[in-house]
Amino acid sequence: MGKTLNICIVAREYPPETLWGGIGTFTYNLAQGLKNIGHNVDVLAFTFGDETSCDDNGVTVHRIQSPRVPFSNKTYWDYVHSMLSPFAFFYSCKVRNKIEEFHQQRKYDVIDLPDHIGEGFFTVRRNRFPTLVRLYTPLSLIGLLGLHKTTNSLDYYLFGLMERSSIKNSTIINSPSKALSGLVKKEFKIDRDIEIIYNPIDTVKFKPEEKTDLSKNGKIRVLYVGGLTDRKGAHILAQSIPKILEKNDSIEFTIIGNDAKGINGFNSMIDYMNDIFNRNGVQDKVILKDPIPYDELPKIYNNADISVVPSLYDNSPYTCLEAMSCGLPVVGTSAGGMPEYIDDGQNGLIIPPEDADALVAAVVRLAEDKDRLAEFGKSARDKSVREFKRETVAEKITELYLEAMEMHGPVY
């Protein structure tokens, strides 16, 4: 492989304590992939409890607390939903200090940082280390698109400055899709190259298994995994289900995810979904479940026949990768990076966002063609092993690290 690198990956999200979404899943897969090809990897992640350092299957994980508010027993995290920018500012400062502290023992060659809320702002600003900033979709950009509403406009502006500065001034910028790269270049006025490397997946954990008896007996199971938010298109899925069942009543649905704010006057998305299901008499065809442990996800995918990801925008959702790696065809939308992962008409189907009728047509089309279902599933698995295997992605990321080290020069 060549030189063994000492790599520090910064990401608030890291399982199991803070596996909130795609950032945590990506960080885990990248860290394990880098370790598997021979590198030394530290991860700096967030904690709600005491600060600790531990070994996670060969990766050293350092858990960092939120900075405390002066003259108070509160932390900045306690105010995160109403005042995110103070947390982002002081947490970024603490991240830089922790990198400096651990560097004394680890002698880091490169620092891998997220764009999200400018976690790497102070580290990039000091420019002591070669840095790679990974695009996940800057939170300020999600706010600009109207897809995130849990903070205020001043917050978006302030941590948006941190996100933009981190991206612009990092040694290397990396994106999981051309779509996200183009969006960030346009909105943040980035006039430099952004390297495209797709997200990694554990193709050993997420692999096809024998289907259960329900699928064998003529039932088709459709699976949705993700937050029950309008950004993820949960309301579009709910609107489509009665129409799908009108056309094919042998289909059953499993919906797994955290409940969230509802739409059209409903207190929660589950309330909105249940209202639609009950009014149309299809509640017995839908199973709603809370999120399940990460290790149990492969079984869930393998008990399904079709995965749906009807997001209004997603740069590269892990539900898409996990399903493909388990040999499921995916129905995804054209909004974001999914068309770069799903080959329309070969291993899944791409539909417009916010189009319930298109979702109906796609699901029914796959459900009524078992040969195509099997063909798409095999193609999805083959592409996952060929392009998204985490060791393969780790090799490509390593090339970027080496490039960043050459561009930056020695760590002083």
Side-chain angles (χ1 to χ4, degrees):
M1 181 198 67
K3 181 180 179 181
T4 297
L5 301 181
N6 295 327
I7 303 162
C8 177
I9 303 176
V10 175
R12 285 177 302 122
E13 299 180 24
Y14 191 84
E17 183 176 350
T18 52
L19 184 59
W20 296 318
I23 295 177
T25 306
F26 170 84
T27 306
Y28 177 79
N29 279 294
L30 177 62
Q32 291 297 323
L34 290 166
K35 182 266 299 182
N36 288 347
I37 63 172
H39 296 305
N40 301 316
V41 184
D42 283 12
V43 174
L44 271 60
F46 187 68
T47 183
F48 299 105
D50 295 332
E51 294 195 346
T52 59
S53 295
C54 68
D55 178 83
D56 178 27
N57 192 30
V59 172
T60 301
V61 181
H62 305 284
R63 294 283 179 180
I64 304 175
Q65 292 176 326
S66 168
R68 293 198 168 274
V69 178
F71 312 109
S72 169
N73 61 356
K74 297 283 189 178
T75 70
Y76 286 104
W77 182 260
D78 294 322
Y79 303 102
V80 71
H81 291 295
S82 58
M83 295 188 299
L84 180 56
S85 55
F87 169 80
F89 184 87
F90 290 107
Y91 186 73
S92 178
C93 183
K94 189 169 186 178
V95 164
R96 181 202 60 190
N97 294 340
K98 287 293 183 180
I99 290 172
E100 299 280 355
E101 175 187 333
F102 297 132
H103 174 66
Q104 299 306 310
Q105 292 81 39
R106 303 293 281 182
K107 303 302 178 186
Y108 295 130
D109 294 302
V110 65
I111 313 297
D112 188 311
L113 299 156
D115 61 355
H116 209 67
I117 71 168
E119 257 180 272
F121 172 73
F122 281 102
T123 304
V124 170
R125 186 177 179 85
R126 186 171 185 191
N127 195 31
R128 179 179 181 186
F129 301 93
T131 55
L132 180 147
V133 166
R134 170 82 172 183
L135 303 181
Y136 294 96
T137 309
L139 187 58
S140 60
L141 187 52
I142 296 175
L144 181 67
L145 296 172
L147 299 172
H148 190 276
K149 307 178 182 68
T150 60
T151 189
N152 57 63
S153 58
L154 179 60
D155 265 346
Y156 282 127
Y157 175 75
L158 292 174
F159 65 71
L161 294 176
M162 295 172 62
E163 290 178 328
R164 188 177 294 107
S165 175
S166 298
I167 295 167
K168 281 189 171 183
N169 296 305
S170 62
T171 316
I172 293 280
I173 312 171
N174 171 223
S175 173
S177 72
K178 296 173 185 175
L180 177 58
S181 170
L183 185 62
V184 169
K185 279 188 172 185
K186 176 184 175 184
E187 299 297 339
F188 280 6
K189 296 179 173 56
I190 304 292
D191 186 20
R192 53 179 293 200
D193 290 340
I194 296 179
E195 305 293 337
I196 310 300
I197 296 179
Y198 296 130
N199 280 344
I201 186 70
D202 184 352
T203 55
V204 175
K205 177 188 286 288
F206 290 89
K207 63 182 179 181
E209 301 286 357
E210 184 71 17
K211 297 293 183 186
T212 63
D213 288 340
L214 183 59
S215 290
K216 292 179 182 178
N217 290 338
K219 297 289 186 180
I220 296 294
R221 288 177 168 181
V222 176
L223 176 67
Y224 171 94
V225 178
L228 302 183
T229 66
D230 51 355
R231 178 190 165 195
K232 294 292 185 179
H235 58 305
I236 304 298
L237 174 61
Q239 294 163 16
S240 74
I241 286 175
K243 298 177 183 179
I244 291 171
L245 291 170
E246 282 182 12
K247 297 177 180 293
N248 188 331
D249 64 0
S250 68
I251 300 174
E252 296 192 351
F253 297 85
T254 299
I255 299 173
I256 300 175
N258 277 318
D259 196 9
K261 184 178 179 181
I263 60 173
N264 296 343
F266 287 86
N267 291 326
S268 77
M269 186 63 77
I270 286 182
D271 288 346
Y272 174 79
M273 297 175 109
N274 279 328
D275 179 72
I276 290 177
F277 302 153
N278 290 330
R279 282 192 289 107
N280 288 275
V282 298
Q283 63 273 19
D284 61 331
K285 293 284 190 175
V286 184
I287 299 171
L288 287 165
K289 290 185 176 181
D290 290 332
I292 63 172
Y294 184 69
D295 286 343
E296 295 179 20
L297 278 175
K299 180 180 178 181
I300 295 296
Y301 285 109
N302 277 294
N303 282 344
D305 300 288
I306 301 168
S307 174
V308 292
V309 189
S311 302
L312 275 59
Y313 176 84
D314 247 316
N315 70 67
S316 51
Y318 257 96
T319 51
C320 174
L321 274 173
E322 290 161 357
M324 290 178 67
S325 190
C326 288
L328 289 186
V330 179
V331 178
T333 68
S334 58
M338 269 189 283
E340 298 173 49
Y341 290 77
I342 302 167
D343 299 317
D344 186 35
Q346 297 181 40
N347 51 39
L349 297 173
I350 295 294
I351 62 172
E354 296 189 83
D355 191 334
D357 290 336
L359 181 56
V360 171
V363 170
V364 171
R365 176 184 171 190
L366 287 176
E368 294 182 347
D369 190 339
K370 300 293 180 63
D371 291 338
R372 177 174 295 182
L373 206 58
E375 177 188 333
F376 278 19
K378 182 180 183 304
S379 178
R381 172 62 181 177
D382 289 345
K383 183 173 184 179
S384 298
V385 173
R386 184 176 65 250
E387 298 187 27
F388 308 138
K389 183 179 178 181
R390 63 187 185 184
E391 288 77 16
T392 300
V393 174
E395 292 279 8
K396 294 178 179 179
I397 294 284
T398 297
E399 292 177 10
L400 292 189
Y401 291 155
L402 293 171
E403 183 179 344
M405 291 163 60
E406 184 177 354
M407 292 171 61
H408 180 273
V411 175
Y412 66 87

